[in-house]
Amino acid sequence: MTDRLHLSVALAGAGWHPAAWREPTARPGELTSARYWRDLVRAADDAGITFVTIEDALSFGDRGSDDAEPRTDRVRGRLDAVLLASYLAPLTRRIGLVPTVTTTHPEPFHLATGLQTLDHASGGRAGARIVAGSSAAERANFGRRSDGPDGFPASGRVEDDAAWTAAFREAGEVVEAIRRLTDSWEDDAIIRDLATGRFLDRERVHNIEFEGEFFSITGASIVPRSPQGQPLITALAHQTIPYRFAAEHADLVFITPSDAAETTGILSEIGTAIDEVRSESEPLRVFVDLVVLIEDTADAARAAWARLEARDALSTDARVVVGTADDVVDELRAFAEAGVDGIRLRPARLPADLDAIVDGVVPRATAAGVLHEDNGASTLRERLGLPLRASRYARQEVSA
């Protein structure tokens, strides 16, 4: 059983509830301003939250939605998550920065260099939330391919749709390419030898020679080895194939049990997947996602939720907690007892529910001994108790 949890926060526009932008505490006129995101992430950083994720998509509307008739009563438009994280890196101190990355359309080489740059800019606090697949609207925005999933199959199971299973295979290749590219420079490849005039030891920069089902890459990254070696790879998983994808390719997986009791079955399925497909010796961290709306009293929270739902109902697989900070801490405690490594809170309203997390949930959970103490590690991987990854190419040379 896990005694303590890591706490993370998922940031999305005006909040996870689609009507959050209409709340009096919202800042809808600032959603594309640098100040808005700086204020949110600095507040989380000052509270000691381990990392934030930043939502993104490659179409006008919500991920997976049909944009033929885009809704005008919801937030539309967003900033690029990787670029935003790089802007936030020098403005923050300890918090990990984990932008959402879609694997279907961007080139793996570009994804790798962007994440490596973020790791350098943050001093080793970079991660990525990997998203597989694409909608018809996303494919139309790029215009380079017409194949791909068109919504979920009637069964709701990814394995019943060949397009979805292919999307997850492609996402796995992208992650492998990112890892190889970040490994392509050894830690000491830059020597800066003034006497000989050699800046670089070329023998320590390796072409990755990757040949996959969906693409091939011959050369090395253009970005030198970054502080973590490799960024933290995360994924959200709801069912078998995504669980297996996370077990094989990720460092951390977000899950969405309906309650603490359901967590046991999910952890068992993930454990089976780990036994079958995971080649890494390091553990896969498991975080539970919770949508939270927090007020000083339960009655006030229920009234606020009812107001939001009357305007536009939320559709989510994640458990929703509407109540006080103490209610959220009770949920954290229950999931800690269920054996997970952390919780990712999705604030229903921003900045209101992030403020409640910072001012109410974190102090109470800390006092209750539910949260990990900051271990002082300089990188996100080490803060989560994961080792820094050595370059696979350096290991090959040593073993030879």
Side-chain angles (χ1 to χ4, degrees):
M1 183 183 73
T2 301
D3 293 324
R4 294 178 183 248
L5 299 170
H6 292 283
L7 192 63
S8 65
V9 172
L11 300 178
W16 281 86
H17 198 285
W21 70 274
R22 300 170 66 179
E23 288 289 284
T25 55
R27 295 162 57 182
E30 301 180 48
L31 299 183
T32 54
S33 73
R35 180 176 64 178
Y36 177 76
W37 294 95
R38 178 202 64 193
D39 291 349
L40 294 178
V41 178
R42 275 184 170 174
D45 192 18
D46 291 343
I49 288 170
T50 305
F51 64 88
V52 293
T53 60
I54 303 171
E55 288 302 295
D56 204 353
L58 299 178
S59 62
F60 188 73
D62 298 327
R63 181 173 299 281
S65 67
D66 182 2
D67 288 332
E69 294 293 337
R71 295 183 62 160
T72 59
D73 60 343
R74 292 185 174 181
V75 170
R76 290 293 180 258
R78 62 182 66 84
L79 300 179
D80 180 277
V82 175
L83 292 177
L84 179 58
S86 291
Y87 160 77
L88 294 166
L91 303 179
T92 51
R93 298 175 295 107
R94 303 280 297 122
I95 197 163
L97 301 168
V98 183
T100 296
V101 169
T102 302
T103 59
T104 303
H105 298 290
E107 294 293 337
F109 188 90
H110 292 152
L111 295 178
T113 57
L115 293 170
Q116 285 180 279
T117 299
L118 174 59
D119 208 42
H120 278 289
S122 63
R125 295 182 282 126
R129 188 176 81 82
I130 300 295
V131 175
S134 65
S135 66
E138 289 175 321
R139 293 192 291 274
N141 280 344
F142 285 81
R144 294 190 301 189
R145 58 195 295 182
S146 59
D147 62 307
D150 289 310
F152 283 99
S155 66
R157 297 192 303 268
V158 169
E159 58 264 34
D160 293 336
D161 187 333
W164 271 112
T165 57
F168 275 95
R169 292 199 308 275
E170 182 178 28
E173 284 191 8
V174 170
V175 173
E176 176 63 16
I178 289 172
R179 292 196 187 280
R180 290 192 187 197
L181 283 164
T182 58
D183 280 351
S184 64
W185 291 60
E186 295 184 37
D187 291 332
D188 53 358
I190 295 178
I191 56 178
R192 304 182 187 90
D193 190 334
L194 299 179
T196 63
R198 293 174 67 225
F199 181 85
L200 179 71
D201 182 350
R202 187 61 182 85
E203 297 300 314
R204 296 186 180 276
V205 180
H206 308 269
N207 292 341
I208 71 169
E209 304 295 349
F210 180 84
E211 183 74 35
E213 177 184 355
F214 298 92
F215 56 85
S216 60
I217 300 173
T218 298
S221 176
I222 58 172
V223 182
R225 186 87 169 154
S226 54
Q228 288 186 114
Q230 295 180 9
L232 182 81
I233 299 296
T234 76
L236 174 65
H238 302 286
Q239 53 181 284
T240 300
I241 285 183
Y243 292 150
R244 291 177 68 85
F245 169 81
E248 184 172 4
H249 298 290
D251 302 303
L252 185 152
V253 61
F254 304 108
I255 61 173
T256 56
S258 59
D259 55 30
E262 188 184 2
T263 307
T264 301
I266 295 175
L267 291 176
S268 177
E269 184 169 1
I270 291 173
T272 299
I274 288 171
D275 291 339
E276 293 176 352
V277 302
R278 191 170 181 83
S279 60
E280 299 293 339
S281 59
E282 65 185 51
L284 175 67
R285 300 295 188 215
V286 181
F287 277 48
V288 167
D289 272 15
L290 299 177
V291 177
V292 294
L293 185 148
I294 306 165
E295 291 284 354
D296 291 337
T297 68
D299 287 343
R302 286 191 290 268
W305 184 258
R307 181 174 65 249
L308 291 171
E309 289 287 279
R311 291 171 172 165
D312 190 359
L314 171 69
S315 175
T316 181
D317 291 328
R319 179 171 174 78
V320 177
V321 181
V322 176
T324 66
D326 287 325
D327 293 329
V328 175
V329 173
D330 288 342
E331 293 281 338
L332 301 185
R333 186 181 292 108
F335 281 108
E337 292 173 354
V340 301
D341 300 292
I343 301 289
R344 183 172 70 148
L345 298 179
R346 305 184 189 179
R349 308 162 299 174
L350 288 172
D353 291 313
L354 178 60
D355 292 341
I357 292 167
V358 166
D359 297 333
V361 173
V362 171
R364 287 170 171 80
T366 300
V370 176
L371 301 181
H372 279 289
E373 295 180 0
D374 189 341
N375 61 9
S378 60
T379 71
L380 176 57
R381 292 183 61 85
E382 291 172 302
R383 193 169 178 185
L384 288 165
L386 296 172
L388 298 182
R389 286 175 174 262
S391 168
R392 70 192 65 197
Y393 303 104
R395 289 201 301 272
Q396 288 173 359
E397 286 189 0
V398 171
S399 63

